Amino acid sequence: MGKVIAIANQKGGVGKTTTAINLAASLAVMEKNVLLVDADPQANTTSGLCYDPNASSGDTLYECLIGKMPIEKTIIQTEIQGLKLIPSHIDLVGAEIELLPVPEREGVLKSHLDTVSHHFDYILIDCSPSLGLITVNALTAADSVIIPVQCEFFSLEGLGKLLNTIKIVQNRLNPALAIEGFLLTMYDVRLRSHNQIVEEIRHHFQEMVFQTVIQRNVRLSEAPSHGKPVILYDAASVGSNNYLNLAREFLKKNQHD
């Protein structure tokens, strides 16, 4: 069974989708079989891997969640051999309402992923910037959660709310859910405020914070507009190296060489 990792933070613009795409791509380059699930109706992960989220082919996560299509029919191959994607669509917004009358609605995504997880080493879920039913589904399906935190003071404000949601999910739906780690993103070594944030988060959460820090990088921000992970767009860039280092740290933590 592949390990399921949700990448979550209800605050937008913290590098969640960037992390989902580039960590998944880095793990795939390291010869792991990875499934990336786009659980955000904005479908930025989908378009960031050069798949048109407006294509009305009816083979997205939305159709899977509402029971119109088996999950294996929604999985598509990406440009990287070991990386597959379940795309999203704006219709996913409606799934929250359509799932309301469903028994055990918080576990729908888990029940689908359980049928395919043996094909993968890791399943990464890019959550939407909210704490709604789809995100709760992702946390219920996950073995652990990576929390990207932008190196800005405002980004610390919502952490308490997210941690509280994780605690509720642990108590009621998924007792095994663990925090994989806090990931510091959009870091600029020249800014004193960024260094203070890094220090504060490391002091507060200690070993729960990844040693790898994701730096601000032009190539990293350009890559999605070309529909590529940064490792394919510019393998020598700082952004590419940051995410390869994160993948190595992640694998070491999960006892893989």
Side-chain angles (χ1 to χ4, degrees):
M1 299 286 278
K3 183 172 184 177
V4 182
I5 304 101
I7 300 172
N9 193 328
Q10 84 277 14
K11 186 171 175 57
V14 298
K16 195 167 39 57
T17 296
T18 300
T19 295
I21 292 172
N22 291 295
L23 177 56
S26 297
L27 289 169
V29 164
M30 292 175 180
E31 300 186 337
K32 301 299 176 187
N33 285 317
V34 183
L35 175 62
L36 181 53
V37 181
D38 190 352
D40 185 349
Q42 294 176 73
N44 290 334
T45 291
T46 301
S47 59
L49 287 172
C50 212
Y51 187 82
D52 182 6
N54 297 312
S56 55
S57 50
D59 54 357
T60 71
L61 183 63
Y62 168 71
E63 281 77 21
C64 170
L65 289 180
I66 64 167
K68 279 189 176 178
M69 181 168 288
I71 191 167
E72 58 270 18
K73 292 282 183 71
T74 68
I75 298 172
I76 58 175
Q77 179 62 52
T78 70
E79 204 174 340
I80 296 176
Q81 181 59 37
L83 178 59
K84 290 186 168 65
L85 169 73
I86 294 180
S88 185
H89 189 273
I90 189 65
D91 287 349
L92 190 59
V93 171
E96 301 230 346
I97 296 164
E98 293 184 58
L99 286 174
L100 285 175
V102 175
E104 298 179 355
R105 58 184 178 267
E106 298 89 354
V108 172
L109 179 57
K110 177 177 168 52
S111 65
H112 286 294
L113 288 178
D114 282 349
T115 66
V116 296
S117 67
H118 59 284
H119 293 300
F120 302 97
D121 297 309
Y122 298 104
I123 298 173
L124 272 59
I125 308 173
D126 182 24
C127 300
S128 65
S130 73
L131 296 176
L133 184 55
I134 302 299
T135 298
V136 170
N137 258 264
L139 294 173
T140 303
D143 297 299
S144 64
V145 55
I146 290 175
I147 304 170
V149 182
Q150 187 182 359
C151 292
E152 301 282 352
F153 279 106
F154 286 128
S155 66
L156 299 178
E157 291 183 342
L159 274 184
K161 199 171 181 182
L162 175 63
L163 293 171
N164 189 49
T165 299
I166 290 170
K167 194 173 285 185
I168 291 168
V169 170
Q170 287 169 328
N171 289 338
R172 300 182 188 174
L173 301 163
N174 183 6
L177 180 64
I179 293 176
E180 188 75 35
F182 293 87
L183 176 66
L184 292 156
T185 64
M186 303 183 192
Y187 173 66
D188 188 334
V189 69
R190 300 166 299 179
L191 295 179
R192 189 177 163 193
S193 62
H194 283 205
N195 289 302
Q196 286 175 332
I197 290 287
V198 170
E199 199 176 305
E200 190 174 329
I201 290 181
R202 288 202 190 284
H203 175 73
H204 191 73
F205 294 108
Q206 298 181 6
E207 74 280 353
M208 293 171 74
V209 184
F210 284 105
Q211 288 301 311
T212 304
V213 175
I214 308 302
Q215 295 167 262
R216 283 194 186 277
N217 179 240
V218 173
R219 307 304 268 173
L220 191 57
S221 58
E222 286 175 350
S225 64
H226 295 267
K228 292 178 183 291
V230 71
I231 199 165
L232 292 185
Y233 180 62
D234 186 349
S237 67
V238 169
S240 179
N241 284 322
N242 284 169
Y243 278 106
L244 284 168
N245 286 336
L246 176 64
R248 288 187 196 101
E249 184 179 350
F250 172 84
L251 290 174
K252 189 176 178 183
K253 189 175 182 184
N254 285 278
Q255 297 180 325
H256 289 278
D257 293 325

